[in-house]
Amino acid sequence: MIPGSQVTEKTYPNEAVVEFEGQLFKLSFRQHATQGRMSGFASQNCRSLDPIPVLQLVPLDEANYRPVDYTTLVIYCQLCDTDCHLIPTPSPDERTPRKMAGYNVASCSTLKDENRQYGMFFVFSDVGISAAGVFRLRMELFDIKYSVYGRPTRPICTIYSNPINIYTSQKFPGMKRSTPLMLALAKQGIRIPQRYEHNQDGDSSSKQQ
């Protein structure tokens, strides 16, 4: 590096302000995934990220907020490298395995958080990554009522997750303790992998709810 020069770290948007039904909202990550165990290539072998990614849509003017029809809002998740370059999805006739597993679309739901406050959430409890390495998730917000032949035309906004470390089974350090938000969502019927507390033998295990 040249003496006196500075290295500028690249930053990528992980929140966005959007207009929906005449009101302004902020879309952001309520919870970022930080790690994961490499999933298998079959859909039934998807291993959820840890902790699961959760996004929230929050009205900017809560005092004058008017209820909206959020049921047409969905977020489409795609895999990127750490510089936010999209990793292409192989076509059906290619032999290259997919690098994403599970279900990569989440609809908007009204749920209570860990503080028993209602909010509009997008929960990715069943998405995994089928390759070891460091990745980001690209999240695109769509309003499906504006679609052509059943496909949304263009995203309302795009944001990116923090980097996620994906390990092979041999190197995976184990699931972290479930966050208060994950516990709150699980109580409302969201299927979420959770970690047991340590038992008397000092071992820990996980369960899927």
Side-chain angles (χ1 to χ4, degrees):
M1 186 173 67
I2 300 174
S5 65
Q6 294 182 344
V7 176
T8 303
E9 184 178 354
K10 292 182 179 180
T11 59
Y12 303 95
N14 55 21
E15 62 180 35
V17 174
V18 300
E19 183 177 358
F20 180 65
E21 293 193 359
Q23 300 180 79
L24 293 179
F25 295 84
K26 182 177 76 171
L27 178 68
S28 62
F29 280 86
R30 181 64 183 267
Q31 178 170 277
H32 282 275
T34 60
Q35 64 171 9
R37 182 179 173 185
M38 193 174 116
S39 295
F41 298 113
S43 59
Q44 65 268 25
N45 293 330
C46 175
R47 299 187 181 277
S48 300
L49 301 175
D50 182 32
I52 61 168
V54 179
L55 293 87
Q56 185 174 8
L57 194 65
V58 179
L60 292 184
D61 187 1
E62 295 189 13
N64 298 307
Y65 169 69
R66 304 182 309 277
V68 297
D69 179 15
Y70 58 82
T71 58
T72 59
L73 293 176
V74 299
I75 290 182
Y76 179 52
C77 173
Q78 295 176 283
L79 191 63
C80 295
D81 61 22
T82 54
D83 289 326
C84 294
H85 298 135
L86 195 63
I87 296 176
T89 300
S91 61
D93 57 344
E94 289 186 67
R95 295 183 179 273
T96 306
R98 291 168 54 90
K99 289 190 176 181
M100 289 201 75
Y103 196 58
N104 65 335
V105 176
S107 57
C108 187
S109 302
T110 298
L111 299 164
K112 290 182 181 179
D113 64 11
E114 69 274 27
N115 300 313
R116 302 185 62 82
Q117 298 295 314
Y118 280 105
M120 293 180 284
F121 292 97
F122 302 85
V123 182
F124 286 88
S125 58
D126 188 30
V127 66
I129 298 175
S130 302
V134 184
F135 303 93
R136 292 181 189 264
L137 299 178
R138 173 177 171 172
M139 301 293 195
E140 295 180 319
L141 176 67
F142 289 92
D143 185 353
I144 59 175
K145 68 171 172 279
Y146 298 112
S147 59
V148 177
Y149 303 111
R151 291 190 174 188
T153 52
R154 60 179 182 180
I156 298 173
C157 70
T158 301
I159 62 176
Y160 297 89
S161 74
N162 290 341
I164 305 169
N165 290 286
I166 303 299
Y167 301 89
T168 61
S169 298
Q170 294 81 3
K171 295 184 178 180
F172 183 57
M175 289 180 61
K176 298 178 181 178
R177 180 178 299 178
S178 298
T179 65
L181 178 60
M182 291 172 65
L183 295 174
L185 296 177
K187 289 179 181 179
Q188 298 168 78
I190 304 298
R191 186 172 179 268
I192 292 176
Q194 294 189 49
R195 179 181 172 182
Y196 284 117
E197 297 295 334
H198 287 278
N199 59 30
Q200 293 181 351
D201 298 326
D203 297 327
S204 63
S205 58
S206 62
K207 63 179 179 179
Q208 191 91 14
Q209 286 197 352

